[in-house]
Amino acid sequence: HTMEQNSTVSNTLEVDGALLPTPSRELWEKICNFQARPDDLILATYPKSGMTWTQEILDMIQNDGDVAKCQRATSTDRHPFLEVVFPYKRKPDLEIALEMPSPRMLKTHLQSHLVPPSVWKQNCKIIYVARNAKDCLVSFYHFSRMISLLPDPQSFDKFCEKFMSGEVLYGSWYDHVKGWWAAKYQHRILYLFYEDMKKNPKREIHKMLEFLEKTLSEDVINKIVHHTSFEVMKENPMANQTAVPSNIYNHTISPFMRKGMPGDWKYHFTVAMNEKFDEHYKKKMAGTTLTFCTEI
Ligand code: A3P
């Protein structure tokens, strides 16, 4: 891959044109050489597409709906993030992952072509969650306002332009969702949609159970639906990200658990921006069988 250290955004590295939150070339090499294990479960998403939510569902599934066990630590501490270095943690998550006993669940925002090769070699199960571009953009915009590690988005219109051109952390949304969509024809990937999870969480949980080759009683599944609803997670200090130091996440600017509602983009896009976005979207998504629902 082509790599260059980016000076405009601190703590980022540009790999194949996508900005990654990697602090050093050395760590990036370690990520590339990461040794996956066959029983690793990988949760992959583009930023702001429902990772925290899906993580909570998967943790509940793995712990047979035991809420207390899922409250053993915060979302950021429960499952390591392959490529993210949290400045307030003692060591990179990658190193934490290396010391973890199996079976591990690992999170990543990397595009499919940047995932460590051993993940493919070991044929790890991967759950990918995609969210429609407009809501994802809105969520990313508000997140960029509240997190001190990312450049201030300035205005919504400016952020739209950056999102469309892929000049945001982790690069182009279009390439991300399309790349993973293509990868699922060759690998063990369960490709899910945020909007489907919102519309019918039970049905999507059943898909996850089948993929993980696990069965749970209807009672436990109902408990998982309840515990991972937006309203309950918003009040759960182990899931709502309020434990992240306030100099990094400023929830008073915009809470991490913000709206959790498909279609919220309608309150942000002007008619002009929407037209421009749609036209650009059509070009970027031409020729793919991947379709999204933008409201429920
Ligand atoms: P909004 O900003 O639109 O509210 P990620 O975890 O990938 O960073 O995604 C964050 C987005 O998922 C935020 O979207 C957040 O509110 C939403 N989210 C988190 N938990 C959720 C849940 N249980 N149900 C629905 N949306 C949820």
Side-chain angles (χ1 to χ4, degrees):
H1 301 298
T2 54
M3 260 194 267
E4 72 190 66
Q5 202 85 41
N6 189 290
S7 55
T8 52
V9 186
S10 60
N11 295 333
T12 60
L13 187 74
E14 206 175 304
V15 182
D16 291 355
L19 273 189
L20 301 182
T22 306
S24 70
R25 210 186 168 86
E26 190 196 348
L27 189 77
W28 177 246
E29 273 159 23
K30 280 190 187 162
I31 293 165
C32 296
N33 294 323
F34 176 74
Q35 290 306 302
R37 303 175 195 155
D39 57 358
D40 284 342
L41 173 65
I42 313 287
L43 171 59
T45 71
Y46 185 75
K48 312 319 290 173
S49 299
M51 174 176 275
T52 316
W53 182 15
T54 315
Q55 180 190 352
E56 197 66 27
I57 294 174
L58 292 172
D59 200 30
M60 280 290 276
I61 289 176
Q62 287 174 335
N63 287 291
D64 303 312
D66 188 329
V67 171
K69 278 191 189 159
C70 294
Q71 287 183 330
R72 67 192 179 282
T74 63
S75 311
T76 20
D77 284 337
R78 261 181 280 163
H79 306 100
F81 225 124
L82 200 56
E83 72 281 0
V84 178
V85 178
F86 295 92
Y88 57 93
K89 287 194 189 177
R90 274 189 309 113
K91 49 182 156 183
D93 268 24
L94 183 77
E95 283 174 30
I96 297 169
L98 295 177
E99 293 160 9
M100 252 176 109
S102 292
R104 302 180 292 192
M105 180 163 109
L106 308 165
K107 299 179 286 182
T108 184
H109 283 324
L110 293 174
Q111 293 196 22
S112 60
H113 75 282
L114 296 177
V115 161
S118 80
V119 167
W120 309 121
K121 222 173 287 153
Q122 299 287 2
N123 196 24
C124 300
K125 283 186 185 175
I126 302 173
I127 295 183
Y128 183 80
V129 184
R131 186 181 194 182
N132 81 76
K134 289 179 188 172
D135 281 328
C136 184
L137 182 160
V138 167
S139 186
F140 209 162
Y141 165 73
H142 288 293
F143 183 63
S144 307
R145 291 170 54 231
M146 67 86 85
I147 181 171
S148 61
L149 306 173
L150 291 180
D152 187 81
Q154 295 168 302
S155 71
F156 182 72
D157 277 11
K158 279 201 178 119
F159 190 79
C160 278
E161 301 287 350
K162 292 241 180 238
F163 185 95
M164 286 193 271
S165 61
E167 290 168 78
V168 287
L169 202 65
Y170 289 103
S172 158
W173 174 91
Y174 312 89
D175 292 346
H176 210 284
V177 296
K178 285 191 292 185
W180 279 99
W181 186 251
K184 91 181 165 61
Y185 294 104
Q186 282 158 23
H187 303 284
R188 286 209 290 182
I189 299 170
L190 176 67
Y191 200 107
L192 299 173
F193 295 91
Y194 180 101
E195 296 75 21
D196 289 345
M197 285 168 55
K198 191 80 191 183
K199 219 182 314 179
N200 193 340
K202 225 170 162 173
R203 189 186 56 201
E204 301 312 297
I205 291 172
H206 274 291
K207 284 185 197 167
M208 294 183 212
L209 284 169
E210 199 190 329
F211 183 68
L212 300 171
E213 297 159 89
K214 196 167 162 132
T215 48
L216 290 173
S217 71
E218 277 307 292
D219 277 0
V220 171
I221 293 171
N222 287 334
K223 198 170 157 192
I224 296 176
V225 170
H226 173 76
H227 176 79
T228 60
S229 69
F230 180 81
E231 293 71 24
V232 173
M233 271 183 66
K234 193 177 168 69
E235 301 306 321
N236 176 0
M238 293 299 151
N240 65 15
Q241 311 279 9
T242 49
V244 174
S246 58
N247 62 337
I248 296 179
Y249 280 2
N250 188 341
H251 294 268
T252 63
I253 296 178
S254 179
F256 184 90
M257 298 290 296
R258 195 185 57 89
K259 280 263 180 70
M261 189 47 83
D264 184 47
W265 61 269
K266 289 184 181 164
Y267 303 102
H268 289 78
F269 280 72
T270 60
V271 172
M273 186 46 90
N274 195 38
E275 278 172 9
K276 190 173 175 184
F277 190 91
D278 285 347
E279 204 176 304
H280 175 259
Y281 186 93
K282 247 186 250 156
K283 281 187 211 142
K284 292 296 257 185
M285 300 299 276
T288 170
T289 53
L290 174 60
T291 54
F292 283 86
C293 125
T294 55
E295 59 192 309
I296 59 170

